[in-house]
CSV table of all heavy atoms in Angstrom, one decimal:
chain,number,residue,atom,x,y,z
A,274,MET,N,-4.4,8.1,9.5
A,274,MET,CA,-3.6,7.4,8.6
A,274,MET,C,-3.9,7.8,7.1
A,274,MET,O,-5.1,7.8,6.8
A,274,MET,CB,-3.8,5.8,8.8
A,274,MET,CG,-2.7,5.0,8.2
A,274,MET,SD,-2.9,3.2,8.5
A,274,MET,CE,-2.4,3.1,10.2
A,275,SER,N,-3.0,8.0,6.3
A,275,SER,CA,-3.2,8.5,4.9
A,275,SER,C,-3.7,7.3,4.1
A,275,SER,O,-3.5,6.1,4.4
A,275,SER,CB,-2.0,9.0,4.3
A,275,SER,OG,-1.1,8.0,4.0
A,276,LYS,N,-4.4,7.6,3.0
A,276,LYS,CA,-4.9,6.6,2.1
A,276,LYS,C,-3.7,5.8,1.5
A,276,LYS,O,-3.9,4.6,1.3
A,276,LYS,CB,-5.7,7.2,0.9
A,276,LYS,CG,-7.0,7.8,1.4
A,276,LYS,CD,-7.8,8.3,0.2
A,276,LYS,CE,-9.2,8.7,0.7
A,276,LYS,NZ,-10.0,9.1,-0.4
A,277,ILE,N,-2.6,6.4,1.2
A,277,ILE,CA,-1.5,5.7,0.7
A,277,ILE,C,-1.0,4.6,1.7
A,277,ILE,O,-0.7,3.5,1.3
A,277,ILE,CB,-0.4,6.7,0.3
A,277,ILE,CG1,-0.8,7.5,-0.9
A,277,ILE,CG2,0.9,5.9,0.0
A,277,ILE,CD1,0.1,8.6,-1.3
A,278,THR,N,-0.9,5.0,2.9
A,278,THR,CA,-0.5,4.1,4.0
A,278,THR,C,-1.5,3.0,4.1
A,278,THR,O,-1.1,1.8,4.3
A,278,THR,CB,-0.3,4.8,5.3
A,278,THR,OG1,0.6,5.9,5.1
A,278,THR,CG2,0.3,3.9,6.4
A,279,LEU,N,-2.8,3.3,4.1
A,279,LEU,CA,-3.8,2.3,4.2
A,279,LEU,C,-3.7,1.2,3.1
A,279,LEU,O,-3.8,0.0,3.3
A,279,LEU,CB,-5.2,2.9,4.1
A,279,LEU,CG,-5.7,3.6,5.4
A,279,LEU,CD1,-7.0,4.3,5.1
A,279,LEU,CD2,-5.8,2.6,6.5
A,280,LEU,N,-3.4,1.7,1.8
A,280,LEU,CA,-3.2,0.8,0.7
A,280,LEU,C,-2.0,-0.1,0.9
A,280,LEU,O,-2.1,-1.3,0.7
A,280,LEU,CB,-3.1,1.6,-0.6
A,280,LEU,CG,-4.3,2.0,-1.3
A,280,LEU,CD1,-4.0,2.9,-2.5
A,280,LEU,CD2,-5.2,0.8,-1.7
A,281,ILE,N,-0.9,0.5,1.2
A,281,ILE,CA,0.3,-0.2,1.4
A,281,ILE,C,0.2,-1.3,2.5
A,281,ILE,O,0.5,-2.5,2.3
A,281,ILE,CB,1.5,0.7,1.7
A,281,ILE,CG1,1.8,1.5,0.5
A,281,ILE,CG2,2.7,-0.1,2.2
A,281,ILE,CD1,2.8,2.7,0.7
A,282,GLU,N,-0.5,-0.9,3.6
A,282,GLU,CA,-0.7,-1.9,4.7
A,282,GLU,C,-1.6,-3.0,4.3
A,282,GLU,O,-1.4,-4.2,4.7
A,282,GLU,CB,-1.2,-1.2,6.0
A,282,GLU,CG,-0.1,-0.3,6.6
A,282,GLU,CD,1.1,-1.1,7.1
A,282,GLU,OE1,1.0,-2.2,7.7
A,282,GLU,OE2,2.2,-0.7,6.8
A,283,HIS,N,-2.7,-2.7,3.6
A,283,HIS,CA,-3.7,-3.7,3.2
A,283,HIS,C,-3.0,-4.7,2.3
A,283,HIS,O,-3.2,-5.9,2.4
A,283,HIS,CB,-4.9,-3.1,2.5
A,283,HIS,CG,-5.8,-4.1,1.9
A,283,HIS,ND1,-6.6,-4.8,2.6
A,283,HIS,CD2,-5.9,-4.5,0.6
A,283,HIS,CE1,-7.3,-5.7,1.8
A,283,HIS,NE2,-6.9,-5.4,0.5
A,284,LEU,N,-2.2,-4.2,1.3
A,284,LEU,CA,-1.6,-5.1,0.4
A,284,LEU,C,-0.5,-6.0,1.1
A,284,LEU,O,-0.4,-7.2,0.7
A,284,LEU,CB,-0.9,-4.3,-0.8
A,284,LEU,CG,-1.9,-3.7,-1.7
A,284,LEU,CD1,-1.2,-2.7,-2.6
A,284,LEU,CD2,-2.7,-4.7,-2.5
A,285,LYS,N,0.1,-5.4,2.0
A,285,LYS,CA,1.1,-6.2,2.8
A,285,LYS,C,0.5,-7.3,3.6
A,285,LYS,O,0.9,-8.4,3.7
A,285,LYS,CB,1.9,-5.3,3.7
A,285,LYS,CG,3.2,-5.9,4.3
A,285,LYS,CD,3.9,-4.9,5.2
A,285,LYS,CE,4.4,-3.7,4.5
A,285,LYS,NZ,5.2,-2.8,5.4
A,286,ASN,N,-0.6,-6.9,4.3
A,286,ASN,CA,-1.3,-7.9,5.2
A,286,ASN,C,-2.2,-8.9,4.5
A,286,ASN,O,-2.2,-10.0,4.9
A,286,ASN,CB,-2.1,-7.1,6.3
A,286,ASN,CG,-1.3,-6.2,7.2
A,286,ASN,OD1,-0.1,-6.5,7.4
A,286,ASN,ND2,-1.8,-5.1,7.7
A,287,ALA,N,-2.9,-8.5,3.5
A,287,ALA,CA,-3.9,-9.4,2.9
A,287,ALA,C,-3.2,-10.2,1.7
A,287,ALA,O,-3.7,-11.3,1.5
A,287,ALA,CB,-5.0,-8.6,2.3
A,288,HIS,N,-2.2,-9.6,1.1
A,288,HIS,CA,-1.7,-10.3,-0.1
A,288,HIS,C,-0.2,-10.6,-0.1
A,288,HIS,O,0.4,-11.0,-1.1
A,288,HIS,CB,-2.0,-9.5,-1.4
A,288,HIS,CG,-3.5,-9.3,-1.6
A,288,HIS,ND1,-4.3,-10.2,-2.2
A,288,HIS,CD2,-4.3,-8.2,-1.3
A,288,HIS,CE1,-5.5,-9.8,-2.2
A,288,HIS,NE2,-5.5,-8.6,-1.7
A,289,ASN,N,0.5,-10.2,1.0
A,289,ASN,CA,1.9,-10.4,1.2
A,289,ASN,C,2.6,-9.7,0.0
A,289,ASN,O,3.6,-10.2,-0.5
A,289,ASN,CB,2.3,-11.8,1.2
A,289,ASN,CG,2.0,-12.5,2.5
A,289,ASN,OD1,2.0,-11.8,3.5
A,289,ASN,ND2,1.7,-13.8,2.5
A,290,LEU,N,2.1,-8.5,-0.4
A,290,LEU,CA,2.7,-7.8,-1.5
A,290,LEU,C,3.3,-6.4,-1.0
A,290,LEU,O,2.6,-5.7,-0.3
A,290,LEU,CB,1.6,-7.5,-2.6
A,290,LEU,CG,2.1,-6.9,-3.9
A,290,LEU,CD1,2.8,-8.0,-4.7
A,290,LEU,CD2,1.0,-6.3,-4.7
A,291,ILE,N,4.5,-6.2,-1.4
A,291,ILE,CA,5.2,-5.0,-1.0
A,291,ILE,C,5.2,-4.0,-2.2
A,291,ILE,O,5.6,-4.4,-3.3
A,291,ILE,CB,6.6,-5.2,-0.6
A,291,ILE,CG1,6.7,-6.1,0.7
A,291,ILE,CG2,7.4,-3.9,-0.3
A,291,ILE,CD1,8.1,-6.6,1.0
A,292,ILE,N,4.6,-2.8,-2.0
A,292,ILE,CA,4.7,-1.8,-3.1
A,292,ILE,C,5.2,-0.5,-2.5
A,292,ILE,O,5.2,-0.3,-1.3
A,292,ILE,CB,3.3,-1.6,-3.8
A,292,ILE,CG1,2.3,-1.0,-2.8
A,292,ILE,CG2,2.8,-2.8,-4.4
A,292,ILE,CD1,1.1,-0.4,-3.4
A,293,GLY,N,5.7,0.3,-3.3
A,293,GLY,CA,6.2,1.6,-2.9
A,293,GLY,C,5.2,2.7,-2.9
A,293,GLY,O,4.0,2.5,-3.3
A,294,GLU,N,5.6,3.9,-2.4
A,294,GLU,CA,4.6,5.0,-2.3
A,294,GLU,C,4.2,5.5,-3.7
A,294,GLU,O,3.0,5.8,-3.8
A,294,GLU,CB,5.2,6.1,-1.5
A,294,GLU,CG,5.3,5.9,0.0
A,294,GLU,CD,5.7,7.1,0.8
A,294,GLU,OE1,5.5,8.3,0.3
A,294,GLU,OE2,6.3,6.9,1.8
A,295,LYS,N,5.1,5.5,-4.6
A,295,LYS,CA,4.7,5.9,-6.0
A,295,LYS,C,3.7,5.0,-6.6
A,295,LYS,O,2.7,5.4,-7.2
A,295,LYS,CB,5.9,6.0,-6.9
A,295,LYS,CG,6.8,7.1,-6.6
A,295,LYS,CD,6.2,8.4,-7.0
A,295,LYS,CE,7.2,9.6,-6.8
A,295,LYS,NZ,6.6,10.9,-7.0
A,296,SER,N,3.8,3.7,-6.4
A,296,SER,CA,2.9,2.7,-6.9
A,296,SER,C,1.5,2.9,-6.2
A,296,SER,O,0.5,2.8,-6.9
A,296,SER,CB,3.4,1.3,-6.7
A,296,SER,OG,4.5,1.0,-7.4
A,297,ALA,N,1.5,3.1,-4.9
A,297,ALA,CA,0.3,3.4,-4.2
A,297,ALA,C,-0.4,4.6,-4.7
A,297,ALA,O,-1.6,4.7,-4.8
A,297,ALA,CB,0.6,3.5,-2.7
A,298,GLU,N,0.4,5.7,-5.0
A,298,GLU,CA,-0.2,6.9,-5.5
A,298,GLU,C,-0.9,6.7,-6.9
A,298,GLU,O,-2.0,7.1,-7.1
A,298,GLU,CB,0.9,8.0,-5.7
A,298,GLU,CG,1.3,8.6,-4.4
A,298,GLU,CD,2.5,9.6,-4.6
A,298,GLU,OE1,2.8,10.0,-5.7
A,298,GLU,OE2,3.1,9.9,-3.6
A,299,ARG,N,-0.2,5.9,-7.8
A,299,ARG,CA,-0.8,5.6,-9.1
A,299,ARG,C,-2.0,4.7,-8.9
A,299,ARG,O,-3.0,4.9,-9.6
A,299,ARG,CB,0.2,4.8,-9.9
A,299,ARG,CG,1.3,5.8,-10.5
A,299,ARG,CD,2.1,5.1,-11.6
A,299,ARG,NE,2.8,3.9,-11.2
A,299,ARG,CZ,4.0,3.9,-10.7
A,299,ARG,NH1,4.7,5.0,-10.5
A,299,ARG,NH2,4.5,2.7,-10.3
């Protein structure tokens, strides 16, 4: 699993926050 995907999934599961791939890259 890529680091971007790990970040997106963590934020979704732990904080109920949806971010896009560009935000995860930044």
Side-chain angles (χ1 to χ4, degrees):
M274 197 179 281
S275 74
K276 287 184 176 187
I277 292 173
T278 305
L279 285 172
L280 275 176
I281 291 171
E282 288 301 313
H283 172 75
L284 292 168
K285 194 183 296 184
N286 295 332
H288 299 281
N289 286 330
L290 190 73
I291 299 171
I292 64 167
E294 285 188 28
K295 290 287 185 187
S296 294
E298 286 175 13
R299 284 193 302 271

